[in-house]
Amino acid sequence: MHLIKAWLLNDLPETSQLNFQDPASPTMEQIIILHDYSMFFLSTILIFVLWILIKSTINNTYNRNITEHTKIETIWTILPALILITIAYPSLKLLYITDEVIEPELTIKTTGNQWYWSYEYSDYKNEKIDFDSYMTPIDDLKKESNRLLEVNNQLIVPINTNIRILITASDVLHSFTIPSLGIKADAIPGRLNQVNFLITRPSIFYGQCSELCGANHSFMPIVLESTTLKNYSYFIYTSTLTNTP
């Protein structure tokens, strides 16, 4: 059961979508900014190179002052190096930011299985909340549901909270991916990977396994619902009652 209203269900891929999904975390916002920043340089270089090729095709006159000019050779060797440095610096900065270890306020363990996800909340004293999340069969979908993306148990997290997800697998390689949050981490048997994120708004976010893991690889979606702390506390309370013998 979803804790938020259905009109917020807009964080999923659209038909013929070319751009990114709406960002819901500071990390994803920075990824989109870096993409637009890099595309400016790439588009400028592409236009300039095309212009040079067209001019060279139209004008077949051999000009020794251009093709064997030492200063020009120096310029178009140094300039690309400066452009690469200009692009590489913010890229490396963002890479280190995404790998930065924060002090988490909530830790969730995620396990990839063939072919479903298991979640475990283990931060609460004397209580362990764990459940499996399977894709909802097509015959059980409601009219407003999304085919191949809905699950029977979604992951519930609070907004404006530093969250850490520990990711592993029980059998083969999987990949935990939620585009709107800028999350993508491999789930490897016998190894724990971790991702840190903070969600800035309530919504329902959809993702899928991004590592070919077998025959039903495309049938293990991820649904993460971010909600207010009050609603999250209610979810934890009801889940605790359900797990109590």
Side-chain angles (χ1 to χ4, degrees):
M1 179 178 179
H2 294 306
L3 300 176
I4 61 178
K5 296 182 179 180
W7 58 268
L8 288 174
L9 306 182
N10 56 355
D11 287 282
L12 70 160
E14 299 177 1
T15 303
S16 303
Q17 180 175 343
L18 296 177
N19 57 338
F20 291 99
Q21 297 181 31
D22 294 335
S25 69
T27 300
M28 190 58 195
E29 292 174 0
Q30 292 301 315
I31 290 174
I32 293 177
I33 291 173
L34 176 62
H35 169 267
D36 296 341
Y37 176 80
S38 302
M39 285 301 296
F40 167 76
F41 289 99
L42 296 178
S43 300
T44 303
I45 293 170
L46 177 62
I47 293 172
F48 177 73
V49 171
L50 284 175
W51 179 77
I52 293 294
L53 289 174
I54 292 172
K55 291 288 289 184
S56 300
T57 303
I58 295 174
N59 185 6
N60 293 323
T61 304
Y62 177 76
N63 192 330
R64 184 174 180 179
N65 292 327
I66 294 178
T67 57
E68 298 181 15
H69 199 287
T70 304
K71 289 185 178 180
I72 293 179
E73 292 283 351
T74 304
I75 291 172
W76 65 40
T77 300
I78 295 177
L79 186 60
L82 294 176
I83 293 174
L84 288 175
I85 294 172
T86 305
I87 297 175
Y89 174 73
S91 302
L92 293 173
K93 182 180 177 181
L94 179 59
L95 182 63
Y96 280 104
I97 289 175
T98 56
D99 287 339
E100 182 181 4
V101 178
I102 61 173
E103 186 65 31
E105 299 170 88
L106 173 65
T107 299
I108 302 171
K109 182 179 178 181
T110 300
T111 304
N113 309 276
Q114 291 182 312
W115 288 273
Y116 62 95
W117 295 95
S118 298
Y119 302 111
E120 178 184 321
Y121 298 77
S122 54
D123 282 351
Y124 304 100
K125 292 182 179 180
N126 302 323
E127 297 291 345
K128 186 178 76 169
I129 302 170
D130 57 349
F131 55 88
D132 297 328
S133 180
Y134 291 87
M135 186 189 76
T136 303
I138 295 177
D139 295 337
D140 296 338
L141 289 175
K142 298 179 181 179
K143 185 177 180 180
E144 68 277 6
S145 299
N146 302 292
R147 178 177 174 270
L148 301 182
L149 288 177
E150 301 292 349
V151 296
N152 62 337
N153 293 309
Q154 64 268 28
L155 183 63
I156 310 292
V157 298
I159 61 173
N160 298 323
T161 303
N162 288 325
I163 301 170
R164 175 177 63 180
I165 293 187
L166 302 176
I167 302 168
T168 187
S170 63
D171 36 47
V172 298
L173 292 177
H174 300 277
S175 183
F176 188 83
T177 305
I178 305 178
S180 293
L181 303 179
I183 295 175
K184 186 179 187 298
D186 289 338
I188 304 172
R191 176 176 174 179
L192 279 178
N193 283 335
Q194 71 172 16
V195 291
N196 304 289
F197 62 93
L198 181 146
I199 304 178
T200 56
R201 57 185 170 85
S203 187
I204 296 178
F205 306 98
Y206 294 87
Q208 290 178 305
C209 175
S210 298
E211 184 75 38
L212 186 60
C213 57
N216 290 334
H217 157 68
S218 57
F219 301 107
M220 51 182 301
I222 302 163
V223 180
L224 184 148
E225 179 174 342
S226 62
T227 185
T228 61
L229 186 59
K230 180 179 179 180
N231 286 342
Y232 173 75
S233 300
Y234 173 75
F235 160 74
I236 293 297
Y237 174 73
T238 55
S239 298
T240 302
L241 293 179
T242 303
N243 286 327
T244 301

